[in-house]
Amino acid sequence: MTEALDQLMEQEDTQHGRFLTFSIGREVFGIEIRYVTEIIGIQPITEVPEVPAYVRGIINLRGKIIPVIDVRLKFKKETVEYNDRTCIIVIDIEEVSIGLIVDNVAEVLSILDENIVLPPDYKTGFQNKYIKGIGKVGSEVKLLLDCDKLLRDDEMEILEKIT
Amino acid sequence: MIDESDISKEPMLEMFVFETNQLLEQLEELLLLSEKNEKIGTENINEIFRIMHTIKGSSAMMMFNNISSVAHSVEDLFYFIRENKPDHLDYSTLCDLILSASDFVKSEIKKIQSGNQFNDQSTDLYVNESGGEDEGQFFDPAIILSNRIKNYLSSINGNANELSLDTNSQNDKSTHKFYISSYNKKGASGQQKYTAKVYFVEDCQMENIRAYTIIHNLKVSSSEIFHRPAQIIEDNQSSDFIVQNGFDIYFSTNENEDEIRKLFDGVLFIKTYELNKVDGYLDEISDLYLSSSRNSKADAGMDTNSYSARESEDEKETSIKSLKQNLISVNVEKLDKLMDLVGEIVITESMVTRNPDLIGLQLDNFGKAARQLRKLNDELQDVVMSIRMIPIAATFNKMQRIVRDMGKKLSKEVQLTIIGEETEVDKNIIENLSDPLMHLIRNAMDHGIEDSEERKLKGKPFIGGITLEAGNTGGDVVISITDDGRGLNKDKILQKARKNGLINKAETELSDREIFSFILLPGFSTSNEVTEYSGRGVGMDVVKKNIDKVGGTVSVESLSGLGTTIKIKIPLTLAIIDGMEIAVGNSIYTLPTICIKESFRPEERELIIDPEGNEMMMIRGNCCPVVRLHKLFAVKTEITNVSKGIIIVVENDARTVCLFADQLLGEQQVVVKSLPKYLNKYKVKEIGVAGCTILGDGSISLILDAMGLINSNI
């Protein structure tokens, strides 16, 4: 009975299955649109000491202070110069807002559940931790990110550093 | 006995009602959730425990012993559940039981709120009609409830003797305690009620005038007078009435009986009079009071309850009116919004007056207007901040009561010294402070101060001392409670910690402070027995949780045999602080001006480098370490030579440090915004960054915290 109810809820949820796609280098990633609050152009960032390299600092978004993360650095790629196509995607998970710095933002796509497969299970490649699934769109493949893991995984890293 | 008319005015009572209602709501939520899930997690058990413990304490302080005893029984029950973790608990009976306890407390509180005649026993008492020696006696529902809980506990316990339930806390009918309210009962203290019946000499004429003279004379010294007939001068028949039935007077006065007799003796034409001291005359005067609005004959039999309720209502009304003329209660949310807006105004004001568009322009009139705006904003800020600030005196004075009561019960004479009670603290914080303080004082009284024998042996003064001190330091409020008792027993704490498996480092590496902070863990107690006041290890946990909630810190210091000091540090909310902008490379930081002692441009030779490479400087005979901000924060800057930059001497808690920055930019008032929660997992605060602020041009400046900077240097 609860499953039927869940299904009903999902059909009503117009945000389900819609992903915002952006590119980092050659790869295209997607994140669920329900986490995205806004997309802004790159703006001056104030650095904060004692944070990992991928946490670039904080920005002032209309009076609200938001930390920003460089997704390139998080995925252990080299950085590039920020240009006017670089965007900050502001996501909001359980009242915690952070900004993701990405190379450029593409579009919002609807990807049906049957077109999403789980990522391969091999442990190579650092990014696998954050990929929730692989979405097939036409002939291309988008890597769908797990936002929760993106925010929370830092704790694991810190622990790993200590032990 | 609590004078019912005063109940609605008591500020302590208001707080008690509010707090207890909140706690009961939480309790109900938890219980219903647990019942639904058919299990009670340890977290919930702890929470319920904490709630009951706090209710027990505060109701005992307010002399509502029935609430306190019920709470105590529930506490016992949950203590058992927590320690022994019985499985197969019948959750619905358990929850029923606890919910009925909660309902009982709620109904008691409702009664308190409506200012009903409130006795230690509730008014809907049950009469035991079953016979036996208790027949005809009133049964207190509080006792019934406590018994039910105890029975349930023994049924799941199997052995009622296992737990050392403290029976002393039960309704102690033998000791007659009095609740001493903070207001002087108007006219009630020291007043004695009298009835008088006066017969005048026959045919003296104008008895009503003479009666009026008596009343007039009595009015001077009496707080209340009633007389029959009520209308003396206006009613012509009153004289006849007086001749026939005598003149009845009911009054309450400070004067002693002799004075009153003299007064009566001095009135001419009195044939005889009777003067009697009474405890009350409500029945007799009920007809007088009601005759104006109702048929006096029919309602002469009105019971005293409603009469006194009426009377107290009237009194309440008049007194409330006089109090409420100066006060208005405001929803705290509105105040919050107001504070936020004021904060935004400060930021926007600096955005306008320091707008980059205006740089270089010659604007005299604009400058004048801007200064005027600045002045008004300052005033606005002060007023808004002060709206929310309440002097901590109220909370501190609550503690006097606890000290006195506990002192009597434990036969320890203790004096509570209060310093800095005029320190004002935000309303939110006060609400979260009273619980912890209560627990701390109880601990100090129960565990800290030794009894008079021990103190004599140790050569300490007979009267134990507890000091409550409050003060402002920069952006924090520091509250410390010190006692001159026996101090904390490090070994016992270590032992208990070892037993509970709480020690992670090698024991020799634990600093004193770390050892003492074990007492803040939930359930941690080195005492062998549970008393009414402490021993379960819950008190300090309540303290820590409450202080954490407002973002404060608790630290414990103790010297064996000499005493213990517990310091609570709470940051002031909405800090609009005066800050000094300093530049390091391209970044701008803000340093609160209050911690800056001085600043100067040093010469190279003033910098001393020790063999390990640490830099320091001599400031007026003291050697202070130098902290290079560009190194600390890893900022690129060209100014690395000390003689090209500036040294700022910063002080906190008697420790000083020299900061090396590029230049001072100027003083500015800034609104402190806390760093995003996401950054909490990094050690940002420990390095000295306490928050951030938005400058006039929209850029962000990190606010530095002197203590963090000083500590980061260690």
Side-chain angles (χ1 to χ4, degrees), chain A residues 46 49-50 60 63 69 151 154, chain B residues 673 678 681-682 687 694 698 700:
Chain A
T46 310
E50 285 288 308
N60 168 13
I69 296 183
L151 284 192
D154 299 336
Chain B
K673 284 195 180 247
Y678 178 72
K681 39 184 156 173
Y682 307 120
I687 206 176
I694 301 182
I700 301 178

Side-chain angles (χ1 to χ4, degrees), chain B residues 231 286-297 299 302 310 314:
Chain B
Q231 319 277 49
S286 56
D287 60 327
L288 279 178
Y289 210 82
L290 304 167
S291 57
S292 51
S293 53
R294 303 187 200 202
N295 188 350
S296 56
K297 290 284 190 301
D299 296 326
M302 202 179 237
R310 257 282 217 99
D314 280 11

Side-chain angles (χ1 to χ4, degrees), chain A residues 10-12 23 38 41-43 51 61-62 80 101-102 105 107 115 120 130 133 135 137 139 151:
Chain A
E10 281 185 4
Q11 281 164 17
E12 304 274 318
S23 56
E38 57 191 286
I42 194 78
Q43 57 177 112
V51 291
L61 187 64
R62 291 189 309 276
V80 293
I101 303 178
V102 300
V105 170
E107 54 178 336
N115 288 338
Y130 305 113
V137 180
S139 57
L151 284 192

Side-chain angles (χ1 to χ4, degrees), chain A residues 46-52 54-55 58-60 63-67 69 96 98 150-152 154-155 158, chain B residues 587 589 632-635 673-679 681-684 687 689 692-694 698-702:
Chain A
T46 310
E47 288 174 5
V48 179
E50 285 288 308
V51 291
Y54 56 83
V55 179
I58 49 182
I59 58 169
N60 168 13
K64 198 165 158 205
I65 311 276
I66 302 183
I69 296 183
V96 177
I98 62 168
L150 209 59
L151 284 192
R152 295 219 197 102
D154 299 336
E155 285 156 14
I158 297 176
Chain B
S587 313
Y589 298 92
L632 188 63
F633 295 146
V635 180
K673 284 195 180 247
S674 53
L675 288 171
K677 281 198 206 126
Y678 178 72
L679 298 174
K681 39 184 156 173
Y682 307 120
K683 299 222 188 87
V684 184
I687 206 176
V689 176
C692 50
T693 180
I694 301 182
S699 61
I700 301 178
S701 162
L702 297 176

Side-chain angles (χ1 to χ4, degrees), chain A residues 13-66:
Chain A
D13 182 5
T14 48
Q15 293 192 322
H16 180 73
R18 294 173 70 90
F19 296 84
L20 173 71
T21 51
F22 57 90
S23 56
I24 306 272
R26 279 180 309 147
E27 276 121 11
V28 182
F29 296 91
I31 57 174
E32 292 183 67
I33 197 95
R34 59 192 166 119
Y35 294 124
V36 177
T37 354
E38 57 191 286
I39 305 171
I40 53 178
I42 194 78
Q43 57 177 112
I45 302 172
T46 310
E47 288 174 5
V48 179
E50 285 288 308
V51 291
Y54 56 83
V55 179
R56 279 312 193 124
I58 49 182
I59 58 169
N60 168 13
L61 187 64
R62 291 189 309 276
K64 198 165 158 205
I65 311 276
I66 302 183

Side-chain angles (χ1 to χ4, degrees), chain B residues 118-149:
Chain B
F118 185 84
N119 289 326
D120 236 10
Q121 284 95 31
S122 69
T123 49
D124 36 337
L125 302 174
Y126 303 127
V127 181
N128 185 0
E129 294 167 317
S130 59
E133 50 180 50
D134 283 340
E135 181 172 43
Q137 293 235 332
F138 291 123
F139 256 52
D140 193 347
I143 301 187
I144 298 181
L145 203 51
S146 304
N147 285 339
R148 268 176 70 195
I149 298 178

